[in-house]
Amino acid sequence: MSIADELDLRAFLRENVYSRISTDEVQFELKFFVARQPSAYGDLLPWRLSAGDVNRLVREEHARFGDIHFVDAVENKWTLCLKRFLALKWAASVPQSEYDFFFTADSDSFVRLAALSRRMHHKRPDLLDPRRTFSMWGDMKANWLHWRKANDSSAPDEQYDGEWYDFPIGMGYLMSSALTARLNDVSDLLPHNVPYYSDDVLIGSWVAEYAPETLLMSDKGGFHDPPLHGTQPFPVDYSTVLIHHIDINEMRQLRAMPEWNGEWLPAPQSDESTTSAWRKP
């Protein structure tokens, strides 16, 4: 989940994190889900790029790297839920027999994918039949809110109170390919016009409504904010696989930690900096 003007952040993640993971441990395809920058962006802040410049740079970025999924909407408090829905649809476009898990993360989350794979094998091997079994993994909380899809696609979905269920905090979560396919099968019924702060709660309501037999793994020690950050703080140690609510400078520090250094492949000698390609004019 990414915002259009996060040009430098996407470049860092692409160049220094996701492209340096050994395919011997985990194989994946990366997509950044990006909506349009609002037209008012930068109008009152002349030191910023204009919205038109940002949107143009994102198009150029995609032409170069091919890893942007454009969301046909303007970035606002409703867009994140739409991104989550479209990401589910994108993942389900691949047959469940060809991949194991669909993983979604916020752009302010630093993810150790190889360590996550090892942690899943160690902690809950019973969840690792993802092409046949419904399972979801993340830091879980509980809620009672439900939504009914509005008849008008442009109208907010109707909220009502109901049975309690667990949902994954939106910093990052995994769904088995079987669960992803199941939700895609009923995607015409899934509400997805819900504002920010409820977008991750909605994921849990989908699962509770249409796949209640799903096996849930709540992993507070693996998925969390660092101390003094956000609302889910927890010490960062070797068991941490996703660290939320951090900026690009903090990500650089995490990427350079000697304790985790063996997880990243060295940079190719001819590697060209992607960050420099997106310097602001």
Side-chain angles (χ1 to χ4, degrees), residues 34-265:
V34 178
R36 295 188 301 277
Q37 198 72 29
S39 58
Y41 178 83
D43 288 356
L44 302 178
L45 301 171
W47 60 88
R48 281 183 165 179
L49 291 173
S50 69
D53 286 336
V54 169
N55 292 325
R56 173 181 55 80
L57 287 173
V58 174
R59 291 191 297 271
E60 293 175 3
E61 182 183 2
H62 179 64
R64 182 175 182 186
F65 300 107
D67 58 7
I68 304 290
H69 186 106
F70 291 100
V71 176
D72 187 16
V74 173
E75 192 71 54
N76 57 44
K77 69 177 183 177
W78 301 89
T79 311
L80 184 54
C81 187
L82 176 60
K83 290 179 182 178
R84 296 194 187 281
F85 177 76
L86 294 176
L88 173 79
K89 298 287 291 180
W90 169 77
S93 67
V94 178
Q96 70 191 73
S97 61
E98 297 181 12
Y99 73 102
D100 293 322
F101 288 96
F102 160 52
F103 179 46
T104 302
D106 287 349
S107 57
D108 60 348
S109 293
F110 181 85
V111 184
R112 302 166 60 211
L113 274 183
L116 172 59
S117 176
R118 293 192 298 271
R119 184 172 178 82
M120 294 174 73
H121 280 276
H122 174 70
K123 287 185 69 68
R124 287 294 299 269
D126 57 312
L127 296 187
L128 296 181
D129 187 16
R131 303 184 188 191
R132 291 191 291 268
T133 302
F134 297 168
S135 63
M136 184 162 59
W137 188 297
D139 183 12
M140 302 292 177
K141 296 184 73 175
N143 208 299
W144 67 92
L145 296 179
H146 295 252
W147 287 267
R148 192 175 290 111
K149 189 174 180 181
N151 292 327
D152 181 355
S153 61
S154 63
D157 294 320
E158 178 187 352
Q159 178 182 304
Y160 64 96
D161 294 346
E163 296 292 327
W164 284 82
Y165 57 86
D166 290 334
F167 72 93
I169 298 176
M171 66 177 83
Y173 54 87
L174 299 104
M175 291 183 182
S176 66
S177 57
L179 176 58
T180 306
R182 167 60 179 157
L183 293 177
N184 184 62
D185 287 343
V186 296
S187 60
D188 289 345
L189 304 175
L190 297 180
H192 54 272
N193 198 0
V194 170
Y196 174 61
Y197 285 131
S198 295
D199 53 283
D200 51 2
V201 179
L202 184 69
I203 303 301
S205 75
W206 292 348
V207 174
E209 183 76 21
Y210 296 105
E213 67 271 42
T214 298
L215 300 171
L216 302 178
M217 174 60 186
S218 186
D219 188 3
K220 175 66 175 178
F223 293 65
H224 56 82
D225 300 329
L228 305 180
H229 290 61
T231 60
Q232 310 296 323
F234 206 77
V236 175
D237 59 23
Y238 195 75
S239 64
T240 300
V241 294
L242 184 149
I243 307 164
H244 187 220
H245 281 140
I246 58 174
D247 60 30
I248 188 172
N249 292 322
E250 292 168 317
M251 288 188 186
R252 290 191 178 102
Q253 295 175 43
L254 291 167
R255 174 63 177 78
M257 284 180 60
E259 294 86 351
W260 297 346
N261 190 53
E263 298 179 16
W264 318 108
L265 298 173

